[in-house]
Amino acid sequence: MTDRQHTHGARADLLAAARNENWGPGVLPQLPEGVQARRSAVLVLFGVLDSIPAKTPDAAVAKDLDVLLQRRAPTLSSHPGQVSFPGGRRERADRDDADTALREAEEETGLDPAGVEILATLPALPLAVSNHQVTPVLGWWTQPSKVAAVDHAETVEVFRVPVAQLLDPATRFRSVTTRGSMTFTGPAFDVDGTIVWGFTAMVLDRLFDACGWTVPWDQTRERPVAV
């Protein structure tokens, strides 16, 4: 099987994962009782990397399969400086969560929504630290378009990461964060010094499991991550 055929087999794996009712990333901290959560959606966009295949040997997926990520501006009040999926709050004019995710992704990265196939809308997940219910929208990039940070007040960097690199056991560790008297651990990835952790890492980690892509890694390896 060629890398190209293997990559499009990944699309079928993602569709199957979306149909798995137990795909979600485990138990997340719930939103405070009685608080009205803000609705938002993120675009979890997979596609075929144009010209920079992963260097990872013995990849579990095609080396040109990638996922779109961005780095939030350090001046934002919510999740400053973190790596995230494109996305944001739902607006009244949005028809549904997919519409929100595509609109926000276009505003933040400049991608052409016409080249994105929506595979599935996954169940909303609580993000207690910012009082949001976040809906991951799973997409496949049928016609990749040029992407870059559009508004540097919100996004400072947009990049496409080879999935094979994220799956490399050498890339993976468990993040340890402390808020007040509480300590949290979760999956994380070190992509050439760029740390992917928190909500984004949890969604990727669970999707990789649900797709059957995960390569065994040392889950006792822990590193502190500054909030």
Side-chain angles (χ1 to χ4, degrees):
M1 180 179 290
T2 67
D3 245 20
R4 185 70 49 165
Q5 289 170 323
H6 194 175
T7 301
H8 287 280
R11 178 182 174 280
D13 291 342
L14 289 164
L15 283 168
R19 291 192 291 268
N20 183 347
E21 293 181 357
N22 298 317
W23 84 271
V27 179
L28 292 171
Q30 295 301 302
L31 298 171
E33 188 174 348
V35 174
Q36 185 67 37
R38 294 185 286 266
R39 293 184 62 183
S40 61
V42 295
L43 183 63
V44 186
L45 182 59
F46 291 87
V48 178
L49 200 64
D50 293 331
S51 59
I52 312 174
K55 299 177 183 177
T56 309
D58 302 323
V61 296
K63 294 185 179 182
D64 56 357
L65 178 68
D66 78 312
V67 63
L68 181 67
L69 297 174
Q70 63 182 22
R71 188 193 304 278
R72 295 167 59 81
T75 53
L76 291 176
S77 59
S78 178
H79 311 290
Q82 290 187 23
V83 174
S84 69
F85 302 113
R89 292 185 192 175
R90 185 165 181 173
E91 297 183 357
R92 275 186 192 173
D94 295 337
R95 294 164 298 190
D96 51 28
D97 291 312
D99 205 32
T100 299
L102 286 172
R103 174 185 55 76
E104 286 283 343
E106 182 179 14
E107 291 175 1
E108 292 173 344
T109 74
L111 67 73
D112 182 358
V116 176
E117 175 192 7
I118 298 300
L119 299 180
T121 298
L122 302 172
L125 300 169
L127 195 55
V129 68
S130 58
N131 193 31
H132 279 82
Q133 284 281 1
V134 185
T135 300
V137 176
L138 194 57
W140 184 260
W141 222 344
T142 56
Q143 295 181 326
S145 48
K146 185 177 180 180
V147 290
V150 174
D151 182 355
H152 285 268
E154 291 192 3
T155 307
V156 295
E157 184 182 10
V158 177
F159 48 99
R160 299 170 63 179
V161 182
V163 173
Q165 185 173 4
L166 292 169
L167 293 171
D168 185 347
T171 298
R172 308 202 61 177
F173 66 99
R174 293 190 68 79
S175 62
V176 180
T177 57
T178 301
R179 292 186 177 92
S181 61
M182 303 292 290
T183 298
F184 304 91
T185 63
F189 306 83
D190 185 339
V191 184
D192 298 327
T194 295
I195 306 303
V196 184
W197 65 285
F199 178 86
T200 302
M202 285 190 288
V203 170
L204 287 172
D205 173 74
R206 188 63 193 101
L207 270 176
F208 294 162
D209 282 351
C211 287
W213 298 344
T214 300
V215 177
W217 57 283
D218 182 2
Q219 298 197 30
T220 68
R221 184 189 301 138
E222 295 185 346
R223 289 168 53 181
V225 173
V227 178

